[in-house]
Each structure stands twice: as structure tokens, then as C-alpha cells.
Amino acid sequence: MRTNFSAEQLADPAVAESEAIVRKCVHCGFCTATCPTYVTLGDELDSPRGRIYLIKDMLENGRPADEKTVTHIDRCLSCLACTTTCPSGVDYMHLIDHARKHIEDTYRRPPIDRALRWLVAAILPYPRRLRLALKIAGIARPFGGLLERVGPLKPAAAMLRLAAVKTPKTDRRPLPAREIAPLRPKARVAILSGCAQPVLDPGINEATVALLQRLGIEIAWPKGEGCCGALVHHMGKEAVALDAARRNVDAWTAEIETKGLDAIIVTASGCGTTIKDYGHMLSHDATYAEKAARISGLAMDITEFLMGLDLPKGDPKNLVVAYHSACSMQHGQKIVAAPKVLLKNAGFTVRDPPEGHLCCGSAGTYNIFQPEISAQLKARKIRNIETTTPDLIATGNIGCMTQLRSGTEIPLVHTVELLDWAYGGPKPAAIAAGR
């Protein structure tokens, strides 16, 4: 795609990067076939190619974002299916990230939208605040129908609906407060504790710890680690996201420099995609660029790590598992085979739902701020999953789990919970509860 940026504009590294990305687009339209919003809405401006035109026009003319551009950029899920499809290697992820920052810097949203976005950014990345918010949501839930009838308040209604999704209670022990080192550890790893996941489904990290310890892995708990920054990053709040990244880089670097780390294990694929991008996010920070690149190089999804441990074959479980590959897993991190191979080797029958490349509509905070489109994508995803007639659904991202649990009675678990069960752990609570 031809561009006409000035030399002065290209002196800004972010603009120069976006200009190079835009120039790679050859208008082929392959991305439209796999873009969830284009497939759902049929509007060219709700396709990656259409959004690239809007971003180019906005940045090239050096103008603030307008309502039209914001509307179509906001509808992007950042699922990155387009990057998997694109034959020209367009780096859409970093282009849309830049566009969102530009919107955050130059566009003043309506007061209610602005307030709700502030609220989400102030609550979701902080476990204590999120726990309190969920309790308050339980009290406010009867007002959800009223909020649903007021257009600008529909995101608040969506938050109440999501807060009502029940997670099966786990009878696992809480995560250990200190390191437990095997006599002859095979590796030493840190596990991202995360922010929303330990509140919404603590059994995931608890299963991860139990499984790794049985496999002879030493687990470290670096002080100061917290939210990866993904949620605010995709809202265009770059400064807040970079602060979160620096905090984690500092925490993990201190651990590396004292006792060493072989990997940083991530059990939420949305977080994993962002942590693996720390090297890019902080590439222009002279103090952090090198350290961030090292952290990105150590980050691994739990299934990536387990693939390197040569796990034994498990006994047949006589259970059909529909594997939902989160967008951040298959498109963001390009991890496609590993989770399914592990599940099959553990004794499960694994089936791929049709249209597995399409997003379920969760996408971080998308199911809050774009509830109508999200609901359509969720219904489509569940219909496709149900065609496989599974006994249960497995996935590797807490956002997808919360989204899908709100629309199906099929038991839904994290991949690592099934693997923990197959190799000596307890039956996942969701299966025991039938949910």
C-alpha cells in the first residue's frame, strides 16, 4: 500500500514502524475471510484491510481520531486471525496497538464510555479490587435488565452478566507461599500468578503447580510480579501497560540473577502473547530493552513447556474433548499442535470444532465493550463446538473460559487441569460438578 508520510512524521519510531507495516499490505483481501467482525457484520471497514485504510488516513494526515475511525477500531477483537492468513506478513498486531494509543491520546470518548473504561482499567488488573467488585456485582445484578435498556450502559450490564458466571469450587490446596525444590530438579521456573485468573478460577494455577512439582520441576515465586499489562495495553493505555511490563521484568530479572530461571510459565494465553511481546514493547527503552527481550525469550505457555518433558502415554479416558484454541494461542503465539498432542497422549479423544480459527468473542474486555458482537460470536462458537458432541471442552485462556461458560452447560476446563488429572491429580472440579 502506497504511503505519503513526511520525513518529520517518520522521525517518530512508532509512526515509522506503522508506515512500514501499512506498506506491506497489498489489498489482497485474504484477511476478510478469517476476520470475525467482517464475517459477522459484512462491512469492509470492519475488516483488517478496511481498518488499515482508516489507520493510514488518520496517521498520515496527523489528525486526531474521529468517531467513525474509533467505532471501527473498537470493533477489532485483536484476535490476529488476519496475521495467520496474510500472505504478505502484515504485522497487524503492532499497527492496531499504535492506533489504539493514538485514539487514547487524541479522542475524547463520551462521559459514560470514558467512566466505564476507567473503571475496568482500575479493577480487572488488581485481584483484591476484582474480588470486591464481584461481590458488589452480586448485589447490583438485579439492575442488569435496566442497564441493558440504556445504550451507553450496556457494557455495565455485560459486566454484571460475566460476573454471574460461576466457576466450580476447587478443593485443591492454595498455592505455596514459598519455594518447594525437588532434590534433583529438572528445571527451575516461575509461574505468572496473573490478575483476573486467580480470582476467577484459582484451580488453573493450582493444577499447574501440582503437575510441575510431580514432574520434578522447581517453582519460584518472584516478589513484585503482577498483571502482565495486556488488558490496559489493548485499551490504548500504553503508559500503564509499560509500567506493568517493567515491574514484571524487574521481578523476573532479579530471580534470574539470583537463582536463575529456565522458563517463565504462563497459563493464560492472552497474557503469554503480551509477555512474549515485552521485547518489542520496551525496545525503545534503553534501560529495559535488553532485559525485556530476555524475559520474552523465557516466556512459555504451559503446553510449550510440557512438550519438552517427554510425558508418558496415559491410559484411555473414554472422554471426548472439544479443544477450543484461543486466538492468542493459535494466532498470537502460533501454538497449534502442542495442547492437542498432550491431551491425546494423556488418553483423551480430541476433536477440533469447525471454524476453529474464529474468535469466541471474549478478547480481553471486548465482551464488555462490544457485547452485541461478542454475543453473536459466542453463539456461533458454541454451535460449532456442540457439533463435535464432546463430553467436555478444553482451552488455554481464562477469558475464553469465562465467555464460553456463560453460554453452555458442557463442562469446560483448562488444558492443564486435564493433564494434571491424567498424571495423578484430582478430577477437575468442573467435570465433577458437571459444569
Side-chain angles (χ1 to χ4, degrees):
M1 187 179 293
R2 185 174 181 177
T3 61
N4 290 291
F5 287 84
S6 68
E8 183 180 0
Q9 287 175 311
L10 295 176
D12 181 338
V15 173
E17 179 185 35
S18 290
E19 189 265 354
I21 295 170
V22 169
R23 288 181 68 86
K24 280 193 171 184
C25 179
V26 296
H27 316 261
C28 68
F30 282 15
C31 58
T32 61
T34 58
C35 173
T37 49
Y38 182 77
V39 169
T40 302
L41 303 175
D43 187 333
E44 171 71 15
L45 294 180
D46 287 315
S47 73
R49 181 173 62 180
R51 292 187 182 105
I52 289 173
Y53 278 117
L54 291 173
I55 295 168
K56 172 184 178 292
D57 179 64
M58 177 175 66
L59 297 179
E60 196 172 62
N61 290 295
R63 62 172 178 78
D66 57 25
E67 183 179 0
K68 176 184 176 182
T69 300
V70 171
T71 295
H72 295 291
I73 297 299
D74 280 355
R75 287 178 184 166
C76 175
L77 295 125
S78 280
C79 69
L80 305 180
C82 55
T83 62
T84 297
T85 310
C86 180
S88 303
V90 175
D91 184 3
Y92 183 79
M93 179 174 81
H94 292 127
L95 181 65
I96 199 75
D97 285 345
H98 183 197
R100 288 190 169 123
K101 179 186 182 297
H102 186 79
I103 288 170
E104 183 70 10
D105 291 343
T106 65
Y107 181 73
R108 189 162 180 82
R109 295 179 181 274
I112 293 177
D113 186 20
R114 197 162 64 246
L116 288 172
R117 286 173 179 272
W118 175 87
L119 189 66
V120 167
I123 291 176
L124 286 186
Y126 305 94
R128 290 183 182 177
R129 297 179 193 177
L130 180 55
R131 287 189 184 95
L132 177 60
L134 290 174
K135 292 179 181 178
I136 295 172
I139 300 171
R141 200 163 295 135
F143 300 100
L146 178 63
L147 296 174
E148 188 69 45
R149 291 194 289 270
V150 182
L153 292 176
K154 284 186 177 181
M159 283 190 275
L160 292 179
R161 285 195 301 274
L162 290 169
V165 176
K166 298 297 183 184
T167 299
K169 299 296 183 184
T170 176
D171 57 0
R172 292 179 176 277
R173 296 179 180 178
L175 296 178
R178 59 183 178 81
E179 298 175 27
I180 300 176
L183 290 176
R184 295 182 180 85
K186 298 177 182 176
R188 187 171 191 272
V189 305
I191 299 175
L192 174 72
S193 299
C195 50
Q197 180 172 283
V199 177
L200 298 174
D201 199 336
I204 296 170
N205 276 354
E206 291 165 7
T208 304
V209 169
L211 175 60
L212 291 179
Q213 287 180 341
R214 285 199 305 278
L215 295 172
I217 307 300
E218 181 179 352
I219 300 171
W221 300 101
K223 294 180 180 179
E225 171 254 286
C227 174
C228 70
L231 289 172
V232 288
H233 183 55
H234 295 308
M235 294 171 70
K237 300 180 184 296
E238 185 182 65
V240 183
L242 293 183
D243 283 345
R246 292 186 186 99
R247 182 191 61 243
N248 286 335
V249 167
D250 284 339
W252 288 322
T253 298
E255 195 67 40
I256 292 168
E257 293 176 348
T258 51
K259 296 185 179 181
L261 288 175
D262 295 297
I264 297 165
I265 304 298
V266 188
T267 55
S269 60
C271 301
T273 301
T274 296
I275 294 169
K276 288 182 177 182
D277 199 43
Y278 277 3
H280 180 275
M281 291 167 62
L282 293 167
S283 60
H284 299 298
D285 185 325
T287 303
Y288 280 88
E290 184 177 342
K291 293 187 292 184
R294 176 166 56 171
I295 295 302
S296 291
L298 285 174
M300 300 181 75
D301 183 77
I302 180 61
T303 57
E304 281 184 290
F305 184 76
L306 292 174
M307 281 293 287
L309 296 183
D310 193 25
L311 298 179
K313 291 278 187 179
D315 296 328
K317 302 296 185 296
N318 298 316
L319 286 172
V320 174
V321 178
Y323 176 68
H324 164 64
S325 185
C327 296
S328 46
M329 186 80 83
Q330 61 172 313
H331 303 307
Q333 299 186 57
K334 310 302 182 187
I335 301 172
V336 178
K340 293 183 285 188
V341 169
L342 289 166
L343 289 171
K344 289 175 182 176
N345 288 344
F348 298 98
T349 299
V350 181
R351 292 179 182 166
D352 290 314
E355 297 187 326
H357 62 283
L358 287 181
C359 184
C360 70
S362 172
T365 59
Y366 193 89
N367 50 7
I368 294 174
F369 294 113
Q370 300 289 333
E372 293 93 350
I373 302 173
S374 174
Q376 292 180 63
L377 291 172
K378 176 176 69 175
R380 184 170 184 155
K381 177 63 67 174
I382 290 172
R383 285 196 302 271
N384 281 320
I385 288 173
E386 289 177 345
T387 64
T388 68
T389 60
D391 296 302
L392 57 141
I393 305 166
T395 189
N397 190 53
I398 184 61
C400 301
M401 295 175 73
T402 304
Q403 173 83 338
L404 296 177
R405 276 178 177 156
S406 69
T408 182
E409 294 299 317
I410 301 172
L412 200 152
V413 296
H414 194 286
T415 305
V416 78
E417 293 181 283
L418 290 180
L419 297 174
D420 178 50
W421 178 33
Y423 295 108
K427 180 182 287 189
I431 299 176
R435 184 73 173 91

